[in-house]
Tab-separated table of all heavy atoms in Angstrom:
chain	number	residue	atom	x	y	z
A	32	GLY	N	133.662	30.358	-126.130
A	32	GLY	CA	134.406	30.152	-127.363
A	32	GLY	C	133.516	30.376	-128.577
A	32	GLY	O	132.294	30.326	-128.485
A	33	VAL	N	134.148	30.613	-129.703
A	33	VAL	CA	133.417	30.627	-130.968
A	33	VAL	C	133.164	29.165	-131.306
A	33	VAL	O	134.098	28.391	-131.473
A	33	VAL	CB	134.219	31.336	-132.087
A	33	VAL	CG1	133.505	31.219	-133.419
A	33	VAL	CG2	134.467	32.795	-131.723
A	34	ALA	N	131.897	28.767	-131.354
A	34	ALA	CA	131.539	27.350	-131.515
A	34	ALA	C	131.681	26.864	-132.941
A	34	ALA	O	131.987	25.698	-133.178
A	34	ALA	CB	130.110	27.119	-131.025
A	35	ALA	N	131.421	27.737	-133.902
A	35	ALA	CA	131.509	27.349	-135.310
A	35	ALA	C	131.752	28.599	-136.136
A	35	ALA	O	131.308	29.685	-135.773
A	35	ALA	CB	130.224	26.667	-135.766
A	36	GLU	N	132.465	28.437	-137.210
A	36	GLU	CA	132.674	29.542	-138.142
A	36	GLU	C	133.055	28.996	-139.502
A	36	GLU	O	133.528	27.869	-139.616
A	36	GLU	CB	133.705	30.540	-137.635
A	36	GLU	CG	135.118	30.019	-137.534
A	36	GLU	CD	136.062	31.095	-137.018
A	36	GLU	OE1	136.327	32.061	-137.749
A	36	GLU	OE2	136.529	30.947	-135.872
A	37	GLU	N	132.801	29.810	-140.495
A	37	GLU	CA	133.132	29.432	-141.863
A	37	GLU	C	133.607	30.682	-142.586
A	37	GLU	O	133.044	31.762	-142.407
A	37	GLU	CB	131.891	28.862	-142.532
A	37	GLU	CG	132.145	28.253	-143.886
A	37	GLU	CD	130.877	27.590	-144.412
A	37	GLU	OE1	130.497	26.547	-143.870
A	37	GLU	OE2	130.289	28.146	-145.357
A	38	GLY	N	134.603	30.504	-143.413
A	38	GLY	CA	135.137	31.617	-144.189
A	38	GLY	C	134.244	31.984	-145.359
A	38	GLY	O	133.139	31.449	-145.515
A	39	PRO	N	134.725	32.873	-146.188
A	39	PRO	CA	133.915	33.361	-147.305
A	39	PRO	C	133.679	32.299	-148.372
A	39	PRO	O	134.475	31.383	-148.546
A	39	PRO	CB	134.747	34.509	-147.859
A	39	PRO	CG	136.150	34.195	-147.468
A	39	PRO	CD	136.049	33.482	-146.149
A	40	ARG	N	132.576	32.470	-149.071
A	40	ARG	CA	132.294	31.641	-150.248
A	40	ARG	C	133.099	32.205	-151.416
A	40	ARG	O	133.550	33.357	-151.364
A	40	ARG	CB	130.809	31.695	-150.586
A	40	ARG	CG	129.936	31.067	-149.534
A	40	ARG	CD	128.477	31.106	-149.971
A	40	ARG	NE	127.640	30.817	-148.841
A	40	ARG	CZ	126.596	31.538	-148.460
A	40	ARG	NH1	126.240	32.604	-149.150
A	40	ARG	NH2	125.893	31.204	-147.417
A	41	PRO	N	133.270	31.440	-152.477
A	41	PRO	CA	133.999	31.957	-153.635
A	41	PRO	C	133.409	33.278	-154.125
A	41	PRO	O	132.190	33.432	-154.237
A	41	PRO	CB	133.825	30.856	-154.689
A	41	PRO	CG	133.611	29.605	-153.888
A	41	PRO	CD	132.837	30.046	-152.679
A	42	GLY	N	134.275	34.230	-154.339
A	42	GLY	CA	133.867	35.534	-154.829
A	42	GLY	C	133.531	36.541	-153.742
A	42	GLY	O	133.347	37.720	-154.031
A	43	GLU	N	133.417	36.099	-152.476
A	43	GLU	CA	133.134	37.023	-151.383
A	43	GLU	C	134.442	37.606	-150.840
A	43	GLU	O	135.506	37.007	-150.989
A	43	GLU	CB	132.396	36.312	-150.240
A	43	GLU	CG	130.971	35.928	-150.562
A	43	GLU	CD	130.277	35.294	-149.370
A	43	GLU	OE1	130.925	34.571	-148.573
A	43	GLU	OE2	129.062	35.518	-149.250
A	44	PRO	N	134.364	38.755	-150.163
A	44	PRO	CA	135.572	39.330	-149.571
A	44	PRO	C	136.118	38.451	-148.442
A	44	PRO	O	135.389	37.633	-147.872
A	44	PRO	CB	135.105	40.685	-149.043
A	44	PRO	CG	133.633	40.658	-149.036
A	44	PRO	CD	133.182	39.579	-149.972
A	45	ALA	N	137.371	38.638	-148.118
A	45	ALA	CA	138.051	37.813	-147.113
A	45	ALA	C	137.382	37.863	-145.750
A	45	ALA	O	137.440	36.897	-144.983
A	45	ALA	CB	139.512	38.247	-146.993
A	46	ASP	N	136.724	38.972	-145.395
A	46	ASP	CA	136.081	39.109	-144.085
A	46	ASP	C	134.682	38.509	-144.039
A	46	ASP	O	134.033	38.527	-142.993
A	46	ASP	CB	135.996	40.586	-143.677
A	46	ASP	CG	137.356	41.149	-143.311
A	46	ASP	OD1	138.210	40.383	-142.822
A	46	ASP	OD2	137.557	42.354	-143.505
A	47	ALA	N	134.179	37.993	-145.150
A	47	ALA	CA	132.831	37.419	-145.198
A	47	ALA	C	132.804	36.082	-144.460
A	47	ALA	O	133.769	35.676	-143.837
A	47	ALA	CB	132.377	37.257	-146.645
A	48	GLY	N	131.692	35.394	-144.553
A	48	GLY	CA	131.518	34.108	-143.875
A	48	GLY	C	130.472	34.245	-142.785
A	48	GLY	O	129.604	35.119	-142.845
A	49	TRP	N	130.576	33.407	-141.769
A	49	TRP	CA	129.654	33.459	-140.651
A	49	TRP	C	130.335	32.854	-139.428
A	49	TRP	O	131.382	32.206	-139.545
A	49	TRP	CB	128.339	32.731	-140.944
A	49	TRP	CG	128.504	31.258	-141.222
A	49	TRP	CD1	128.741	30.679	-142.429
A	49	TRP	CD2	128.504	30.200	-140.270
A	49	TRP	NE1	128.872	29.322	-142.287
A	49	TRP	CE2	128.714	28.999	-140.969
A	49	TRP	CE3	128.334	30.139	-138.897
A	49	TRP	CZ2	128.776	27.752	-140.338
A	49	TRP	CZ3	128.381	28.890	-138.256
A	49	TRP	CH2	128.597	27.724	-138.980
A	50	ALA	N	129.732	33.065	-138.263
A	50	ALA	CA	130.242	32.479	-137.021
A	50	ALA	C	129.079	32.306	-136.055
A	50	ALA	O	128.026	32.908	-136.221
A	50	ALA	CB	131.322	33.355	-136.417
A	51	GLN	N	129.308	31.473	-135.046
A	51	GLN	CA	128.244	31.176	-134.093
A	51	GLN	C	128.815	30.991	-132.689
A	51	GLN	O	129.833	30.331	-132.503
A	51	GLN	CB	127.527	29.904	-134.520
A	51	GLN	CG	126.333	29.549	-133.682
A	51	GLN	CD	125.651	28.307	-134.215
A	51	GLN	OE1	126.173	27.199	-134.062
A	51	GLN	NE2	124.496	28.480	-134.846
A	52	LEU	N	128.112	31.570	-131.718
A	52	LEU	CA	128.373	31.329	-130.304
A	52	LEU	C	127.195	30.513	-129.786
A	52	LEU	O	126.048	30.821	-130.109
A	52	LEU	CB	128.452	32.643	-129.520
A	52	LEU	CG	129.387	33.719	-130.067
A	52	LEU	CD1	129.310	34.957	-129.189
A	52	LEU	CD2	130.808	33.214	-130.169
A	53	ARG	N	127.483	29.479	-129.002
A	53	ARG	CA	126.411	28.620	-128.494
A	53	ARG	C	126.283	28.759	-126.979
A	53	ARG	O	127.228	29.148	-126.307
A	53	ARG	CB	126.686	27.169	-128.873
A	53	ARG	CG	126.608	26.970	-130.379
A	53	ARG	CD	126.717	25.526	-130.786
A	53	ARG	NE	126.756	25.426	-132.231
A	53	ARG	CZ	127.594	24.658	-132.902
A	53	ARG	NH1	128.440	23.879	-132.271
A	53	ARG	NH2	127.560	24.646	-134.220
A	54	PRO	N	125.112	28.418	-126.449
A	54	PRO	CA	124.885	28.577	-125.013
A	54	PRO	C	125.945	27.884	-124.158
A	54	PRO	O	126.396	26.782	-124.469
A	54	PRO	CB	123.510	27.928	-124.799
A	54	PRO	CG	122.827	28.066	-126.121
A	54	PRO	CD	123.929	27.887	-127.138
A	55	VAL	N	126.319	28.581	-123.093
A	55	VAL	CA	127.241	28.070	-122.082
A	55	VAL	C	126.628	28.454	-120.737
A	55	VAL	O	126.368	29.633	-120.493
A	55	VAL	CB	128.654	28.688	-122.228
A	55	VAL	CG1	129.550	28.262	-121.081
A	55	VAL	CG2	129.272	28.328	-123.575
A	56	GLU	N	126.386	27.482	-119.898
A	56	GLU	CA	125.733	27.714	-118.606
A	56	GLU	C	126.425	28.849	-117.842
A	56	GLU	O	127.636	28.862	-117.696
A	56	GLU	CB	125.773	26.432	-117.765
A	56	GLU	CG	125.054	26.532	-116.447
A	56	GLU	CD	123.541	26.659	-116.599
A	56	GLU	OE1	122.980	26.067	-117.538
A	56	GLU	OE2	122.936	27.355	-115.773
A	57	GLY	N	125.613	29.804	-117.410
A	57	GLY	CA	126.124	30.922	-116.627
A	57	GLY	C	126.793	32.020	-117.435
A	57	GLY	O	127.280	32.996	-116.859
A	58	ARG	N	126.833	31.885	-118.764
A	58	ARG	CA	127.503	32.892	-119.601
A	58	ARG	C	126.637	33.359	-120.767
A	58	ARG	O	126.615	34.511	-121.104
A	58	ARG	CB	128.796	32.325	-120.156
A	58	ARG	CG	129.787	31.900	-119.133
A	58	ARG	CD	130.977	32.805	-119.204
A	58	ARG	NE	131.912	32.440	-118.160
A	58	ARG	CZ	132.421	33.320	-117.333
A	58	ARG	NH1	132.097	34.570	-117.441
A	58	ARG	NH2	133.258	32.952	-116.408
A	59	LEU	N	125.984	32.411	-121.423
A	59	LEU	CA	125.218	32.712	-122.633
A	59	LEU	C	124.021	31.781	-122.677
A	59	LEU	O	124.194	30.560	-122.676
A	59	LEU	CB	126.112	32.516	-123.865
A	59	LEU	CG	125.513	32.800	-125.241
A	59	LEU	CD1	125.082	34.252	-125.360
A	59	LEU	CD2	126.540	32.476	-126.336
A	60	ARG	N	122.813	32.344	-122.723
A	60	ARG	CA	121.592	31.544	-122.665
A	60	ARG	C	121.014	31.217	-124.033
A	60	ARG	O	120.041	30.479	-124.122
A	60	ARG	CB	120.533	32.270	-121.854
A	60	ARG	CG	120.891	32.421	-120.413
A	60	ARG	CD	119.798	33.124	-119.667
A	60	ARG	NE	120.189	33.318	-118.279
A	60	ARG	CZ	119.447	33.940	-117.401
A	60	ARG	NH1	118.275	34.424	-117.737
A	60	ARG	NH2	119.878	34.083	-116.178
A	61	MET	N	121.555	31.781	-125.074
A	61	MET	CA	121.008	31.559	-126.412
A	61	MET	C	122.152	31.457	-127.410
A	61	MET	O	123.276	31.820	-127.117
A	61	MET	CB	120.107	32.720	-126.801
A	61	MET	CG	120.884	34.002	-126.938
A	61	MET	SD	119.830	35.377	-127.326
A	61	MET	CE	120.909	36.701	-126.841
A	62	THR	N	121.838	30.979	-128.578
A	62	THR	CA	122.809	30.955	-129.661
A	62	THR	C	122.852	32.338	-130.300
A	62	THR	O	121.819	32.962	-130.502
A	62	THR	CB	122.417	29.897	-130.709
A	62	THR	OG1	122.428	28.608	-130.082
A	62	THR	CG2	123.364	29.891	-131.898
A	63	VAL	N	124.046	32.803	-130.584
A	63	VAL	CA	124.230	34.077	-131.292
A	63	VAL	C	124.915	33.756	-132.612
A	63	VAL	O	126.021	33.221	-132.635
A	63	VAL	CB	125.073	35.082	-130.478
A	63	VAL	CG1	125.311	36.359	-131.274
A	63	VAL	CG2	124.412	35.395	-129.140
A	64	ASN	N	124.222	34.036	-133.695
A	64	ASN	CA	124.767	33.853	-135.036
A	64	ASN	C	125.239	35.202	-135.562
A	64	ASN	O	124.564	36.211	-135.354
A	64	ASN	CB	123.689	33.312	-135.979
A	64	ASN	CG	123.146	31.987	-135.514
A	64	ASN	OD1	123.867	31.035	-135.327
A	64	ASN	ND2	121.839	31.945	-135.298
A	65	LEU	N	126.347	35.213	-136.248
A	65	LEU	CA	126.851	36.431	-136.869
A	65	LEU	C	127.003	36.148	-138.349
A	65	LEU	O	127.689	35.197	-138.737
A	65	LEU	CB	128.171	36.833	-136.217
A	65	LEU	CG	127.925	37.123	-134.728
A	65	LEU	CD1	128.595	36.097	-133.873
A	65	LEU	CD2	128.291	38.518	-134.379
A	66	GLU	N	126.310	36.939	-139.163
A	66	GLU	CA	126.285	36.674	-140.596
A	66	GLU	C	126.815	37.867	-141.381
A	66	GLU	O	126.714	39.013	-140.950
A	66	GLU	CB	124.879	36.318	-141.058
A	66	GLU	CG	123.899	37.470	-141.009
A	66	GLU	CD	122.519	37.095	-141.511
A	66	GLU	OE1	122.247	35.922	-141.797
A	66	GLU	OE2	121.698	38.016	-141.620
A	67	HIS	N	127.350	37.551	-142.539
A	67	HIS	CA	127.911	38.582	-143.409
A	67	HIS	C	126.822	39.333	-144.154
A	67	HIS	O	125.891	38.723	-144.689
A	67	HIS	CB	128.872	37.944	-144.422
A	67	HIS	CG	129.487	38.930	-145.344
A	67	HIS	ND1	129.153	39.014	-146.668
A	67	HIS	CD2	130.400	39.900	-145.118
A	67	HIS	CE1	129.847	39.983	-147.233
A	67	HIS	NE2	130.602	40.535	-146.311
A	68	ASP	N	126.935	40.635	-144.145
A	68	ASP	CA	126.051	41.496	-144.925
A	68	ASP	C	126.959	42.462	-145.675
A	68	ASP	O	127.568	43.342	-145.063
A	68	ASP	CB	125.085	42.258	-144.027
A	68	ASP	CG	124.143	43.154	-144.805
A	68	ASP	OD1	124.380	43.417	-146.005
A	68	ASP	OD2	123.161	43.625	-144.205
A	69	PRO	N	127.073	42.307	-146.992
A	69	PRO	CA	127.997	43.163	-147.748
A	69	PRO	C	127.581	44.636	-147.751
A	69	PRO	O	128.411	45.499	-148.031
A	69	PRO	CB	127.960	42.578	-149.158
A	69	PRO	CG	126.639	41.880	-149.247
A	69	PRO	CD	126.351	41.382	-147.863
A	70	LEU	N	126.344	44.935	-147.401
A	70	LEU	CA	125.874	46.321	-147.379
A	70	LEU	C	125.708	46.854	-145.956
A	70	LEU	O	125.062	47.881	-145.741
A	70	LEU	CB	124.535	46.430	-148.131
A	70	LEU	CG	124.565	45.973	-149.588
A	70	LEU	CD1	123.185	46.063	-150.201
A	70	LEU	CD2	125.585	46.753	-150.391
A	71	TYR	N	126.314	46.186	-144.983
A	71	TYR	CA	126.173	46.569	-143.583
A	71	TYR	C	126.582	48.030	-143.356
A	71	TYR	O	127.615	48.486	-143.841
A	71	TYR	CB	127.028	45.671	-142.688
A	71	TYR	CG	127.069	46.153	-141.265
A	71	TYR	CD1	125.961	46.017	-140.445
A	71	TYR	CD2	128.190	46.792	-140.757
A	71	TYR	CE1	125.978	46.479	-139.151
A	71	TYR	CE2	128.215	47.262	-139.458
A	71	TYR	CZ	127.101	47.109	-138.658
A	71	TYR	OH	127.116	47.589	-137.373
A	72	GLU	N	125.748	48.729	-142.625
A	72	GLU	CA	126.045	50.077	-142.147
A	72	GLU	C	125.750	50.090	-140.651
A	72	GLU	O	124.691	49.630	-140.234
A	72	GLU	CB	125.149	51.109	-142.830
A	72	GLU	CG	125.433	51.290	-144.301
A	72	GLU	CD	124.547	52.362	-144.916
A	72	GLU	OE1	124.162	53.321	-144.213
A	72	GLU	OE2	124.222	52.223	-146.106
A	73	PRO	N	126.643	50.621	-139.835
A	73	PRO	CA	126.368	50.674	-138.401
A	73	PRO	C	125.089	51.464	-138.128
A	73	PRO	O	124.847	52.499	-138.745
A	73	PRO	CB	127.586	51.394	-137.824
A	73	PRO	CG	128.661	51.215	-138.843
A	73	PRO	CD	127.957	51.163	-140.172
Side-chain angles (χ1 to χ4, degrees):
V33 174
E36 66 180 290
E37 188 174 289
R40 294 182 194 130
E43 290 183 325
D46 288 330
W49 61 272
Q51 185 178 73
L52 309 178
R53 294 187 185 135
V55 174
E56 184 68 34
R58 300 247 177 230
L59 181 61
R60 294 181 183 178
M61 66 182 161
T62 298
V63 177
N64 300 303
L65 298 112
E66 69 178 6
H67 180 251
D68 181 345
L70 302 177
Y71 172 73
E72 292 182 30

